[in-house]
Amino acid sequence: MPDTTTRERMISTAMTLFRREGYPATSWRRLVEEAGTPWGSAYHHFPGGKEQLGVAAIELGTELVAKTVRRAFERTETVEDAVRWWYRKAGQALAADGYRGGCPLATVSLEMANVSPTLTEACRTAFATWHRLLAGLIAGRGYDAERAEDLAFAAVELLEGALLLCRVRRSTAPLDRAATHFARLAREES
Amino acid sequence: MPDTTTRERMISTAMTLFRREGYPATSWRRLVEEAGTPWGSAYHHFPGGKEQLGVAAIELGTELVAKTVRRAFERTETVEDAVRWWYRKAGQALAADGYRGGCPLATVSLEMANVSPTLTEACRTAFATWHRLLAGLIAGRGYDAERAEDLAFAAVELLEGALLLCRVRRSTAPLDRAATHFARLAREES
DNA sequence: GAGATACCAGGACGGTCGTCCTAGTGATCA
DNA sequence: TGATCACTAGGACGACCGTCCTGGTATCTC
């Protein structure tokens, strides 16, 4: 079962709060209250302070999304179906959470880009990980390397834009449209 | 000349700080320091407090982007050229600001979606304004209404996703790719 | 001139923030 | 049994937050 240790519960709760309201709005006090973890041991598990917790939460979010992507390509045959499956999964998660969630990185990325080089570097690494993973999986479906790179970019760009609009409109429609747009990009020859 | 009054300077500075670091990170004290406006008259001009300032900043950002979009369609002939011009303009502004800026709405949208219904509503209205404007301009270039709607969505989704990646990677490359992706979507028949 | 109105100065207020600390608990191992 | 270690309890600390206030100045209206 997941999140058995105090440290793990803190990280996964931090990821949830970061994606819902962002980094500055997530205080240690709210975190330990939400996670039900001991307030006194925060700096025991994260001597680097809130920033270290932030990096850990970003890494967890990166891995969770990567897992979804891998699963999407396992259960589908074409690239457009894989992305559609991925986006649908993201939409379901978003709706099930009452449109409070979204990308685990987007909010922190935007907030901390000019403030914390450490967190920004973690976000940069995360996006690079996704991009590399996607490009590899797309290339594995028969696309040449350059085109796979390009489609991997499109998949991330469209997802991030769509998640933002879904959040604001409280609807998964933008994600559905984004999946269709991606399918068109993937199908077109030349 | 712009921003002649205290109120206008406060709003435009707020927009800048919101897009750079977000809503919670932008305090009144930082704002008046940055804007060089009197601290004592903040609640004179904005009796509704920080939230009222936030709404005003969102509305200003909405109008600035709308102006750029209108200009883009004035100086180009095809839809894909208009979007490319728009994205290039956005990339130039981003780079000129040292990759600190970005979409004036994105960060606030993500941060406040679960916190402030007022600000969320302002963001929703803003995105709807852009979408309506774009759909109208695209339809004016000969696309049928439904397709124009769809392309307007794609233009906003791709821009938001690209701006996020540009910010993190400190590069305008994602915007260039996004423009190319949009061009492919706009060109393809059917 | 007098009164009203718009705006500015600058700090008080209570609250929350991240950080850090001392004291204590419970388990492990000699 | 006693020493060591990982972990927890809970608050102190100074800084900053949004808000609101009193007192003042400039400008306009009659």
Side-chain angles (χ1 to χ4, degrees), chain B residues 125-147:
Chain B
T125 304
F127 281 113
T129 300
W130 291 345
H131 182 257
R132 205 177 319 117
L133 171 66
L134 273 166
L137 289 168
I138 293 171
R141 289 286 192 279
Y143 291 82
D144 70 73
E146 195 178 343
R147 188 129 159 66

Side-chain angles (χ1 to χ4, degrees), chain B residues 5 34 63 106 126 143-144 158 187:
Chain B
T5 73
E34 194 88 15
E63 192 41 45
Y143 291 82
D144 70 73
L158 282 167
R187 264 202 299 270

Side-chain angles (χ1 to χ4, degrees), chain A residues 24-181:
Chain A
T26 300
S27 67
W28 277 112
R29 290 163 178 82
R30 276 202 58 197
L31 177 88
V32 299
E33 186 186 356
E34 193 87 15
T37 47
W39 161 232
S41 57
Y43 276 73
H44 172 73
H45 294 296
F46 302 95
K50 197 179 166 185
E51 207 170 46
Q52 185 186 354
L53 173 68
V55 171
I58 289 169
E59 286 169 352
L60 174 61
T62 308
E63 192 40 46
L64 288 184
V65 172
K67 258 187 203 140
T68 305
V69 170
R70 278 189 224 103
R71 212 171 307 158
F73 277 82
E74 280 165 12
R75 5 199 116 181
T76 55
E77 305 219 327
T78 66
V79 169
E80 55 253 48
D81 281 346
V83 168
R84 192 179 294 278
W85 192 92
W86 175 23
Y87 284 12
R88 181 157 44 226
K89 218 67 182 167
Q92 286 168 358
L94 184 61
D97 192 35
Y99 295 96
R100 291 179 297 175
C103 174
L105 272 72
T107 314
V108 182
S109 294
L110 291 175
E111 289 174 318
M112 307 310 284
N114 308 311
V115 181
S116 163
T118 306
L119 288 172
T120 304
E121 182 54 35
C123 290
R124 193 182 352 256
T125 304
F127 281 113
T129 300
W130 291 345
H131 184 257
R132 206 176 318 117
L133 172 65
L134 273 166
L137 288 168
I138 293 171
R141 288 286 192 279
Y143 291 82
D144 69 73
E146 195 180 341
R147 188 127 159 69
E149 279 263 329
D150 197 50
L151 286 176
F153 255 113
V156 176
E157 277 182 1
L158 282 167
L159 178 73
E160 292 296 344
L163 279 176
L164 173 60
L165 293 184
C166 288
R167 193 80 176 279
V168 171
R169 297 163 44 104
R170 295 184 66 84
S171 151
T172 57
L175 269 172
D176 299 336
R177 278 183 195 265
T180 305
H181 293 148

